[in-house]
Amino acid sequence: MAPPTILRKRKAATRDVPESSDVESDAEFGDGLLEGILSQSEDSENDSAEEGSEEEEDEEEDDEELSGLDSDEIPSDEDEEMDDENGGLVKNNGTKADEKDSNVAQPAAEDDEDKPNYRVTTDANGGVRYEYDEIDPVYDSDDSDAPVTTNTIGNIPLSFYDSYPHIGYDINGKKIMRPAKGEALDALLDSIEVPKGWTGLTDPATGKPLNLSQEELEILRRIQANEVPEEGYDPYPATVEYFTGIEEVMPLSAAPEPKRRFLPSKHEAKRVMKIVRAIREGRILPYRPPEEREEEEDEEVHYDIWQDEQPRPEHVMNIPAPKMAPPGYDLSYNPPPEYLPTKAEKQAWESTDPEDREKEYLPTGYDSLRKVPAYDRFIKERFERSLDLYLAPRVRKNRLNIDPASLLPKLPRPEELKPFPTVCSTLFRGHEGRVRSLALDPSGTWLASGGDDGTVRVWEASTGRQIWSAKIGDEDAVDAVRWRPGREAVILSAAAGEDIYLIVPPIMDPETETISRELVDAGFGYATNATQPLTANGQRKDPVAKWARPGSRLEDEGVLLKITVRTTVKVISWHRRGDFFSTVSPTAQRSAVAIHTLSKHLTQIPFRRLPGLPQTVQFHPSRPLFFVATQRTIRSYDLQKQELVKIIQPGARWISSFDIHPGGDNLIVGSYDRRLLWHDLDLSTRPYKTMRFHQKAIRAVKYHKGGFPLFADASDDGSLQIFHGKVVGDMMENATIVPVKVLKGHKVKNALGVMDIDWHPREPWCVSAGADGTCRLWM
Amino acid sequence: MARIKKKGESGQAKNFITRTQAVRKLQVSLPDFRKLCIWKGIYPREPRNKKKASKTSNAATTFYYTKDIQYLLHEPLLKKFREQKALEKKISKALGRGDAHDAQRLERNASRPEKTGKTKYTLDHVIRERYPTFIDALRDLDDCLSMLFLFANLPSTPTVPAKMIARCERLCLEFQHYLIVSNSLRKSFLSIKGIYYQATIQGQDILWLVPYRFNQRVTGDVDFRIMGTFVEFYQTLLGFVNFRLYTSIGLVYPPKFDKNRDDQGAELGAFSLEANGVGIIEQPKQITNGPSKPDPKLQAEIDKLMLQLNEPEKEPAAEQTVANDEEEEQPTDTIDKFEPVAPGGDILPQPSYSATDPSTLFSNFTFFLSRETPRQPIEFILRAFGCKRIGWDAVLGDGAYTHNELDPSITHQIVDRPPIQVDAESEKEVEDNQTAQRLKPGSRVPGRIYVQPQWIWDSVNDEELKRPDLYAPGAQLPPHLSPFVKKVRGQYDPSAPLNEQEREGEELEADIQEPKLLTEMEVDATAEGMDVAGSEDESGASDEEADNFAGFSDAEEEEEEEDEATAAAKQRQRELEAELSGVALKENDVDPRAKAKADARKKAAKKAKEEEEELERAKMMMSRKKRKILEKMVYSNKKKDAEAETLRAKRRKIEKSGKAAPRA
């Protein structure tokens, strides 16, 4: 309950009050008195306004109490404010300390005049005990803001008292007992005789049954009704206009009321008369029924909006909406029977998603007009059309309304492109394992081939008969077979492992054979006479290659010379004069490309360092240029000036082979990434045409060197493709490239198809070497 | 030095703004913006480069042309929208205050078009802006008419107020009246969707679609507010167009509208046209005959008359040819018609050449519509082609020339029910029955031509009266063909005989394929589908994929030749053997027809192969871009050809089975 706690508080607060007042009340009495007066007057006003119904005695006491309480705290607020606002008002208040003192002193001064508000009794121990009256806190008292604790235990859990018969102590130190737990009979009696304000609830704080008074119930009702709990509270009081509603004792102006306040307005009278006259004359009607207005609205206005029409040119950006397509035959209610869908078509139409359907309707035939039902998508279609009209982005599209055939380029007729090889005429069987390389001799009579079995074989090209064969590689495969150019001698070069063999096969007439043997042997002696390059420490440098006789067994067979280099040779390429040939051994670091001079038995390494792995090399057919293909680029070097001329970039990832057109200005490149690229050396370093007609990597490409505008490539997919590639002498005209033939015949073995290809020197025939162990002549 | 151009300040970035930006700029709500766009004819654009036009992400946005939106900024309607919005706010505020009187007063100012069908604003100026000349308005009338005719046939709902429907109906009927008076209806087509009409007014072809008279199925996904906005605009437009059309032929607009007759279902008959200076334009007089019975004498006379009337129909071709022969020598001003003599030439467009004036096609006849026929379209179309006297059954509504089926002046009766075999006795009874107004079902009045409704449409489209016997009740009707299809060479034309449009050897091929036609088609379809998929793949991965070419197949050809040679040799060998053994060689082992067929097939296959090779070769030499274009074109052409071919195949089959209906 409220009173005891307040008492306790009061006790605490006022304990030192008498002392302080005693000490300092006299010192600055006047000031303190003034303060006290101010606070008292305020308090009394408040009190009088709010608690009119309370008893007078209480009022007096309360006043005193409150003034004491208030003076305790309110001024502290005030002085803070004063500190902030006007530090200069010191003359009113004196010093801060003074003020405080005076506050404290004031109640004491009052108390002195009044009787003490406590009784002195003896407590349990026989000591002096002050007993105070209970304080009824009015609404304004500060304590009402604090949460009302209804028991005296303070802020400890109620459960501490669970084992005791009481809850807390009263101000006099007596136990506040729990109400006795009623017996069943008592409870029954209670339930029969419901006391006023009985709720049936138990106050958890006190453990007593919770009874509510009439006022409290009334407050609850108002809260439930969403009203302000306080009775008689007006949330919307009528505003009191300050200047008009409150009559000032001292008015702002002392001027007497003007005369016009007491005279009727002439102007108003005039205006009123005007209206009166108008009403009398019927010019204005005092009342008009509103229905008339609606009726008069209904009339529509029709006029010719295009009376003075002027044509306006269409705006450039205007795109008129396309018209709806006119109906076709299939939309007829009675279409020709061929337009009616078959069962399968109907099913297909029904099974497709409505959005994917080509037509949103199914042609249906009715044998008479009366059987035609309503079209169920009519509104939907019109709505969609409306949406299209205002929501669909419009764009002008140029429709190519031409015959597609006119787009096709004009190509020469295949008859004009003839001759080119079309059929396989001869099959060369004999190799075991793949045939890795093959070459037709400059006369076109003999075909040399070398393969995995380590043999070099020479065949008669027209018949397919094997004429000569020699096993040069013991365990190495023959990687390259090339004839020396020139008709006066017949020399075959073959590479197996690190060795290059020069062979004069005993197949020709003796004269040619002797010339050939002389040519091969002419170089002996040069190597020994030549000054050998010395290494840094003065020792003789190891020769790059060793030129020697291969041994008597091979010599008997016609293999005359063996050149041993450091790493496996993959490619041999002859200079057109027949004195030089170049070899490539891609795995070698520095000595990958070697140029051999037949007449001097000399081997040179032209490149100290190469960017990338060299793949293949070629001599230019007419000029002293040397082409080296690395994985990605082809570099052309001038052999005389010994400088780099051009870097050709075909754009392929891994070049497999390339060939130079006999004219010298064009180049074809084959790559492992299935591209065949035609380069025009005069045009650009980039390819002029890229052809990708193979399924697998391209192994070899070759131009026809004998006057036919043909070239061919061989691929791992087992096919050769023959192209017609005409180079015109005119610089202005680009080469025409026409694919003409796919030659299929080689079988694909271990993902390898055709390994090498060569053209006949005069006829439009070509030979190919297959991974299936055969060579084929196509004509 | 020229100023450096900044990004996003000129060109496409400036020319296009997104819809959100446009709405913000105009400071209107989205529905209001939609309305404005519909009325002012402003539509989104597809910028040539979307990336350049959009400043932000590449999300799908609609772009408007900036100048269009700027042009909207000055729109008076925008002000009206804002006023309306302010008024709505005031009303809601008043209602919130509980000031019912104030709200009511304000409500009077508000326009409630959904209730009254009237708006506070007019769209007159919009019409004038969008269509600076009358021809422009006519050009854009297709959608307007289709929409209004649809709304004239809709049931009234809260979203579609009855007043709107009534106004649409009136406007449509007025427009029809103009077409009737000016005889400008040209073609019509009965489709499964509804009836298409085409009129030519001042050289503009206007095509619109009218639904059949049924309750329309309204689905939930149709927003009638949008349609209503369109209808509002179209109503204004058609009002002005009607006014202009009426005044152009000297009639008063609006025509007098008889509410009572309209309530009785007179429709077209509820309007009476007045000339604005000359006098009332002649309307068919309402003749109400008393109940009459076919008098034998009268009947004979009528029959005679009918014979005379029918004569020109029965032998129109002969007469026309005679007339043509006579006229041949005389020079005329009219445009001569150019007919292609040999196939293969292009067809040049020529102004339509009509032998008959549309106003006289049905002018001599009196029609009677049986009660199962759709009265409104038939009445409209007959009137538009010059018919003055149309009677119909009383159930079809008011406004008929006669409701009496036995009226002796009737020359044609439109019937759309199967014929019922009637006994002779019952017929007699009918004749005996003096008071019978209506004939017994199935019986016929002599001297009258009974036709199905399609007869009217086909006659109108061909501008000549068709043979009525083809359209007799119960007869299998000839197919009803769309008059709007323009004949394109290479496309299937159902009216032309089959052999004229076939490819060479198509029939032979078909013969071979016929036994498994269906399966073949299925296979084709799947193969096509695969092809399509393949091409799609190619577009993505063509960089990696190798184009393969087949080269020339000389080898195979030679093989084939060899085959033939060996076959011939074998034959000879057999003959020799037979001669030696003295036995006559059996001749029947080689059927000449089968051989011819096989030869044709071989030839065609060879030719096709050659052509294909040639094409492949040429294609390989094209740039990728061009090749794509070519492939697209070839694809679409092939699709069209395939369509035409399936149609021809179907027709061939139908003709062979002999179930085909006669072609008119």
PDB file of all heavy atoms in Angstrom, chain A residues 621-639:
ATOM      1  N   PRO A 621      59.864 -21.046-103.759  1.00  0.00           N
ATOM      2  CA  PRO A 621      60.112 -21.664-105.064  1.00  0.00           C
ATOM      3  C   PRO A 621      60.965 -20.806-106.009  1.00  0.00           C
ATOM      4  O   PRO A 621      61.573 -21.360-106.931  1.00  0.00           O
ATOM      5  CB  PRO A 621      58.719 -21.892-105.635  1.00  0.00           C
ATOM      6  CG  PRO A 621      57.827 -21.011-104.851  1.00  0.00           C
ATOM      7  CD  PRO A 621      58.438 -20.874-103.502  1.00  0.00           C
ATOM      8  N   SER A 622      60.999 -19.500-105.837  1.00  0.00           N
ATOM      9  CA  SER A 622      61.790 -18.725-106.783  1.00  0.00           C
ATOM     10  C   SER A 622      62.781 -17.772-106.108  1.00  0.00           C
ATOM     11  O   SER A 622      63.835 -17.500-106.666  1.00  0.00           O
ATOM     12  CB  SER A 622      60.866 -17.938-107.713  1.00  0.00           C
ATOM     13  OG  SER A 622      59.931 -17.218-106.936  1.00  0.00           O
ATOM     14  N   ARG A 623      62.473 -17.297-104.971  1.00  0.00           N
ATOM     15  CA  ARG A 623      63.358 -16.299-104.350  1.00  0.00           C
ATOM     16  C   ARG A 623      64.144 -16.920-103.197  1.00  0.00           C
ATOM     17  O   ARG A 623      63.742 -17.972-102.675  1.00  0.00           O
ATOM     18  CB  ARG A 623      62.512 -15.114-103.848  1.00  0.00           C
ATOM     19  CG  ARG A 623      62.243 -14.109-104.992  1.00  0.00           C
ATOM     20  CD  ARG A 623      61.414 -12.953-104.508  1.00  0.00           C
ATOM     21  NE  ARG A 623      60.004 -13.330-104.336  1.00  0.00           N
ATOM     22  CZ  ARG A 623      59.161 -12.682-103.537  1.00  0.00           C
ATOM     23  NH1 ARG A 623      59.592 -11.654-102.843  1.00  0.00           N
ATOM     24  NH2 ARG A 623      57.923 -13.058-103.446  1.00  0.00           N
ATOM     25  N   PRO A 624      65.191 -16.271-102.772  1.00  0.00           N
ATOM     26  CA  PRO A 624      65.986 -16.850-101.680  1.00  0.00           C
ATOM     27  C   PRO A 624      65.350 -16.616-100.320  1.00  0.00           C
ATOM     28  O   PRO A 624      65.906 -15.929 -99.464  1.00  0.00           O
ATOM     29  CB  PRO A 624      67.332 -16.139-101.819  1.00  0.00           C
ATOM     30  CG  PRO A 624      67.009 -14.833-102.414  1.00  0.00           C
ATOM     31  CD  PRO A 624      65.835 -15.064-103.316  1.00  0.00           C
ATOM     32  N   LEU A 625      64.170 -17.149-100.175  1.00  0.00           N
ATOM     33  CA  LEU A 625      63.458 -16.997 -98.900  1.00  0.00           C
ATOM     34  C   LEU A 625      63.330 -18.366 -98.263  1.00  0.00           C
ATOM     35  O   LEU A 625      63.239 -19.384 -98.949  1.00  0.00           O
ATOM     36  CB  LEU A 625      62.073 -16.395 -99.118  1.00  0.00           C
ATOM     37  CG  LEU A 625      62.016 -14.954 -99.632  1.00  0.00           C
ATOM     38  CD1 LEU A 625      60.578 -14.579 -99.946  1.00  0.00           C
ATOM     39  CD2 LEU A 625      62.575 -14.005 -98.579  1.00  0.00           C
ATOM     40  N   PHE A 626      63.273 -18.349 -96.980  1.00  0.00           N
ATOM     41  CA  PHE A 626      63.193 -19.590 -96.226  1.00  0.00           C
ATOM     42  C   PHE A 626      62.065 -19.437 -95.207  1.00  0.00           C
ATOM     43  O   PHE A 626      62.035 -18.468 -94.453  1.00  0.00           O
ATOM     44  CB  PHE A 626      64.535 -19.837 -95.536  1.00  0.00           C
ATOM     45  CG  PHE A 626      64.613 -21.148 -94.802  1.00  0.00           C
ATOM     46  CD1 PHE A 626      64.393 -22.347 -95.493  1.00  0.00           C
ATOM     47  CD2 PHE A 626      64.929 -21.200 -93.456  1.00  0.00           C
ATOM     48  CE1 PHE A 626      64.488 -23.554 -94.823  1.00  0.00           C
ATOM     49  CE2 PHE A 626      65.014 -22.420 -92.797  1.00  0.00           C
ATOM     50  CZ  PHE A 626      64.801 -23.596 -93.488  1.00  0.00           C
ATOM     51  N   PHE A 627      61.117 -20.344 -95.233  1.00  0.00           N
ATOM     52  CA  PHE A 627      59.947 -20.252 -94.356  1.00  0.00           C
ATOM     53  C   PHE A 627      60.062 -21.290 -93.254  1.00  0.00           C
ATOM     54  O   PHE A 627      60.314 -22.461 -93.527  1.00  0.00           O
ATOM     55  CB  PHE A 627      58.664 -20.502 -95.136  1.00  0.00           C
ATOM     56  CG  PHE A 627      58.327 -19.407 -96.109  1.00  0.00           C
ATOM     57  CD1 PHE A 627      58.923 -19.367 -97.359  1.00  0.00           C
ATOM     58  CD2 PHE A 627      57.432 -18.420 -95.773  1.00  0.00           C
ATOM     59  CE1 PHE A 627      58.608 -18.368 -98.263  1.00  0.00           C
ATOM     60  CE2 PHE A 627      57.117 -17.413 -96.665  1.00  0.00           C
ATOM     61  CZ  PHE A 627      57.707 -17.385 -97.916  1.00  0.00           C
ATOM     62  N   VAL A 628      59.871 -20.854 -92.064  1.00  0.00           N
ATOM     63  CA  VAL A 628      59.866 -21.767 -90.932  1.00  0.00           C
ATOM     64  C   VAL A 628      58.520 -21.641 -90.221  1.00  0.00           C
ATOM     65  O   VAL A 628      58.113 -20.538 -89.860  1.00  0.00           O
ATOM     66  CB  VAL A 628      61.000 -21.430 -89.937  1.00  0.00           C
ATOM     67  CG1 VAL A 628      60.980 -22.414 -88.789  1.00  0.00           C
ATOM     68  CG2 VAL A 628      62.329 -21.440 -90.629  1.00  0.00           C
ATOM     69  N   ALA A 629      57.859 -22.768 -90.061  1.00  0.00           N
ATOM     70  CA  ALA A 629      56.586 -22.741 -89.349  1.00  0.00           C
ATOM     71  C   ALA A 629      56.800 -23.222 -87.930  1.00  0.00           C
ATOM     72  O   ALA A 629      57.305 -24.315 -87.711  1.00  0.00           O
ATOM     73  CB  ALA A 629      55.583 -23.621 -90.062  1.00  0.00           C
ATOM     74  N   THR A 630      56.448 -22.379 -86.995  1.00  0.00           N
ATOM     75  CA  THR A 630      56.400 -22.828 -85.600  1.00  0.00           C
ATOM     76  C   THR A 630      54.954 -23.210 -85.316  1.00  0.00           C
ATOM     77  O   THR A 630      54.131 -23.283 -86.239  1.00  0.00           O
ATOM     78  CB  THR A 630      56.871 -21.720 -84.661  1.00  0.00           C
ATOM     79  OG1 THR A 630      56.056 -20.586 -84.875  1.00  0.00           O
ATOM     80  CG2 THR A 630      58.320 -21.368 -84.933  1.00  0.00           C
ATOM     81  N   GLN A 631      54.664 -23.421 -84.050  1.00  0.00           N
ATOM     82  CA  GLN A 631      53.308 -23.895 -83.761  1.00  0.00           C
ATOM     83  C   GLN A 631      52.254 -22.915 -84.238  1.00  0.00           C
ATOM     84  O   GLN A 631      51.212 -23.296 -84.741  1.00  0.00           O
ATOM     85  CB  GLN A 631      53.148 -24.106 -82.261  1.00  0.00           C
ATOM     86  CG  GLN A 631      53.648 -25.449 -81.829  1.00  0.00           C
ATOM     87  CD  GLN A 631      53.421 -25.682 -80.361  1.00  0.00           C
ATOM     88  OE1 GLN A 631      52.867 -24.845 -79.670  1.00  0.00           O
ATOM     89  NE2 GLN A 631      53.853 -26.825 -79.885  1.00  0.00           N
ATOM     90  N   ARG A 632      52.518 -21.645 -84.072  1.00  0.00           N
ATOM     91  CA  ARG A 632      51.472 -20.683 -84.355  1.00  0.00           C
ATOM     92  C   ARG A 632      51.760 -19.756 -85.526  1.00  0.00           C
ATOM     93  O   ARG A 632      50.832 -19.181 -86.072  1.00  0.00           O
ATOM     94  CB  ARG A 632      51.226 -19.807 -83.120  1.00  0.00           C
ATOM     95  CG  ARG A 632      50.748 -20.633 -81.964  1.00  0.00           C
ATOM     96  CD  ARG A 632      49.944 -19.796 -81.052  1.00  0.00           C
ATOM     97  NE  ARG A 632      49.283 -20.659 -80.100  1.00  0.00           N
ATOM     98  CZ  ARG A 632      48.114 -20.367 -79.550  1.00  0.00           C
ATOM     99  NH1 ARG A 632      47.529 -19.252 -79.852  1.00  0.00           N
ATOM    100  NH2 ARG A 632      47.571 -21.178 -78.683  1.00  0.00           N
ATOM    101  N   THR A 633      52.999 -19.537 -85.809  1.00  0.00           N
ATOM    102  CA  THR A 633      53.305 -18.565 -86.859  1.00  0.00           C
ATOM    103  C   THR A 633      54.213 -19.190 -87.911  1.00  0.00           C
ATOM    104  O   THR A 633      54.854 -20.226 -87.687  1.00  0.00           O
ATOM    105  CB  THR A 633      54.027 -17.336 -86.290  1.00  0.00           C
ATOM    106  OG1 THR A 633      55.215 -17.788 -85.647  1.00  0.00           O
ATOM    107  CG2 THR A 633      53.161 -16.596 -85.305  1.00  0.00           C
ATOM    108  N   ILE A 634      54.265 -18.528 -89.013  1.00  0.00           N
ATOM    109  CA  ILE A 634      55.210 -18.908 -90.058  1.00  0.00           C
ATOM    110  C   ILE A 634      56.101 -17.699 -90.287  1.00  0.00           C
ATOM    111  O   ILE A 634      55.588 -16.586 -90.510  1.00  0.00           O
ATOM    112  CB  ILE A 634      54.483 -19.289 -91.359  1.00  0.00           C
ATOM    113  CG1 ILE A 634      53.571 -20.487 -91.092  1.00  0.00           C
ATOM    114  CG2 ILE A 634      55.465 -19.588 -92.457  1.00  0.00           C
ATOM    115  CD1 ILE A 634      52.675 -20.826 -92.237  1.00  0.00           C
ATOM    116  N   ARG A 635      57.406 -17.904 -90.184  1.00  0.00           N
ATOM    117  CA  ARG A 635      58.339 -16.786 -90.374  1.00  0.00           C
ATOM    118  C   ARG A 635      59.080 -16.998 -91.678  1.00  0.00           C
ATOM    119  O   ARG A 635      59.505 -18.101 -91.972  1.00  0.00           O
ATOM    120  CB  ARG A 635      59.345 -16.749 -89.233  1.00  0.00           C
ATOM    121  CG  ARG A 635      58.715 -16.361 -87.934  1.00  0.00           C
ATOM    122  CD  ARG A 635      59.432 -16.930 -86.765  1.00  0.00           C
ATOM    123  NE  ARG A 635      58.763 -16.491 -85.570  1.00  0.00           N
ATOM    124  CZ  ARG A 635      59.113 -15.413 -84.877  1.00  0.00           C
ATOM    125  NH1 ARG A 635      60.143 -14.705 -85.252  1.00  0.00           N
ATOM    126  NH2 ARG A 635      58.419 -15.036 -83.822  1.00  0.00           N
ATOM    127  N   SER A 636      59.199 -15.917 -92.395  1.00  0.00           N
ATOM    128  CA  SER A 636      59.964 -16.046 -93.625  1.00  0.00           C
ATOM    129  C   SER A 636      61.250 -15.224 -93.474  1.00  0.00           C
ATOM    130  O   SER A 636      61.214 -14.074 -93.023  1.00  0.00           O
ATOM    131  CB  SER A 636      59.128 -15.586 -94.820  1.00  0.00           C
ATOM    132  OG  SER A 636      59.264 -14.221 -95.029  1.00  0.00           O
ATOM    133  N   TYR A 637      62.379 -15.867 -93.828  1.00  0.00           N
ATOM    134  CA  TYR A 637      63.687 -15.231 -93.680  1.00  0.00           C
ATOM    135  C   TYR A 637      64.301 -15.052 -95.049  1.00  0.00           C
ATOM    136  O   TYR A 637      64.142 -15.911 -95.932  1.00  0.00           O
ATOM    137  CB  TYR A 637      64.619 -16.106 -92.823  1.00  0.00           C
ATOM    138  CG  TYR A 637      64.138 -16.270 -91.406  1.00  0.00           C
ATOM    139  CD1 TYR A 637      63.303 -17.325 -91.058  1.00  0.00           C
ATOM    140  CD2 TYR A 637      64.521 -15.372 -90.425  1.00  0.00           C
ATOM    141  CE1 TYR A 637      62.856 -17.486 -89.766  1.00  0.00           C
ATOM    142  CE2 TYR A 637      64.082 -15.529 -89.119  1.00  0.00           C
ATOM    143  CZ  TYR A 637      63.257 -16.590 -88.791  1.00  0.00           C
ATOM    144  OH  TYR A 637      62.833 -16.735 -87.522  1.00  0.00           O
ATOM    145  N   ASP A 638      65.013 -13.955 -95.192  1.00  0.00           N
ATOM    146  CA  ASP A 638      65.782 -13.764 -96.411  1.00  0.00           C
ATOM    147  C   ASP A 638      67.152 -14.391 -96.185  1.00  0.00           C
ATOM    148  O   ASP A 638      67.873 -14.005 -95.256  1.00  0.00           O
ATOM    149  CB  ASP A 638      65.905 -12.263 -96.707  1.00  0.00           C
ATOM    150  CG  ASP A 638      66.418 -12.032 -98.108  1.00  0.00           C
ATOM    151  OD1 ASP A 638      67.255 -12.835 -98.545  1.00  0.00           O
ATOM    152  OD2 ASP A 638      65.964 -11.062 -98.741  1.00  0.00           O
ATOM    153  N   LEU A 639      67.480 -15.384 -97.018  1.00  0.00           N
ATOM    154  CA  LEU A 639      68.729 -16.103 -96.777  1.00  0.00           C
ATOM    155  C   LEU A 639      69.959 -15.284 -97.161  1.00  0.00           C
ATOM    156  O   LEU A 639      71.037 -15.456 -96.605  1.00  0.00           O
ATOM    157  CB  LEU A 639      68.732 -17.432 -97.546  1.00  0.00           C
ATOM    158  CG  LEU A 639      67.761 -18.493 -97.013  1.00  0.00           C
ATOM    159  CD1 LEU A 639      67.743 -19.690 -97.925  1.00  0.00           C
ATOM    160  CD2 LEU A 639      68.152 -18.917 -95.610  1.00  0.00           C
TER     161      LEU A 639
END
